[in-house]
Amino acid sequence: MTVHVPVRPVTTEPHERSAGTPRPDPRRPGPVRGSSPLAGERLRPLTRCQIEDRLAELGDLYAQTSGGGPRAWNAARGAFLRRLGADVRRPGFCLLIAETTVLTGCAYGYPVPGGDPRGVRGLEPYLPRTVLPVAASGRLFLVSGIVVPARVRRQHQDRSWNLARRMQARLLAEHDAALGITLVDRTDGGTVQALRSWGWRYAEGETLQPSVLGRYGVLVLGR
């Protein structure tokens, strides 16, 4: 699962107030900033051919939201494109992009084969009993990655028009999935926190359940 927690963006100090400009009243809240349901990015799925045509652009988006310097970007970009190249061959694979005049985000994944989740990256040992009936019905969708700017993680996470929420909901709707699932590193607190803020929940209990296979756990998302 890919959810970026970028480094803190560079900020500038506010300009000094000009003479005669009233000092803001700290007791009065300022305007709400950030995404809005009336000015959101356009979402659309890409075909496999379109994905191939835009691989460089998708790789750049991933690198730019991964934090670090140019060397880190190159390594992150290459790893991302290799993973994406493997995923895109999965039956039912879907990649959504979000764009205004530029590419601003993407989310992707594929349905878990009905009755046979073993072939999906060794997913079966991670699946709790509660989701096995959904997997058997063929309506379980594995969300492999969500790539969004830092603002999406920090602002309006609980709103349905939050970009990450819009993309993950669209992925499930495109495949009539009853449940979304993703594997997450239990030691990656930033990713877990971001997903939880977008509506993902623990598959069982109030924490990520340990696995005999290592540090990964499962989060699920209902429609």
Side-chain angles (χ1 to χ4, degrees), residues 118-159:
R118 293 170 297 179
V120 183
R121 289 184 175 173
L123 181 63
E124 185 184 37
Y126 294 100
L127 295 181
R129 295 177 183 177
T130 53
V131 305
L132 291 179
V134 183
S137 72
R139 299 188 66 199
L140 184 66
F141 190 88
L142 176 65
V143 178
S144 301
I146 301 173
V147 182
V148 289
R151 62 176 171 79
V152 179
R153 183 178 55 86
R154 296 194 306 260
Q155 300 174 355
H156 310 296
Q157 302 97 319
D158 61 337
R159 300 298 183 90

Side-chain angles (χ1 to χ4, degrees), residues 32-112:
V32 176
R33 299 185 182 275
S35 303
S36 79
L38 301 180
E41 292 91 334
R42 182 170 67 105
L43 304 187
R44 65 185 180 94
L46 297 185
T47 66
R48 294 191 182 190
C49 289
Q50 289 172 329
I51 293 172
E52 291 180 3
D53 290 341
R54 301 189 70 169
L55 279 177
E57 194 176 354
L58 290 166
D60 290 343
L61 172 70
Y62 186 94
Q64 291 163 6
T65 59
S66 64
R71 290 186 180 179
W73 290 350
N74 290 335
R77 187 179 189 278
F80 165 74
L81 291 177
R82 286 191 294 273
R83 291 193 301 269
L84 182 60
D87 281 353
V88 76
R89 294 192 290 269
R90 301 278 186 180
F93 178 83
C94 180
L95 183 143
L96 295 175
I97 60 169
E99 57 186 352
T100 51
T101 56
V102 296
L103 184 65
T104 60
C106 70
Y108 53 95
Y110 45 90
V112 175

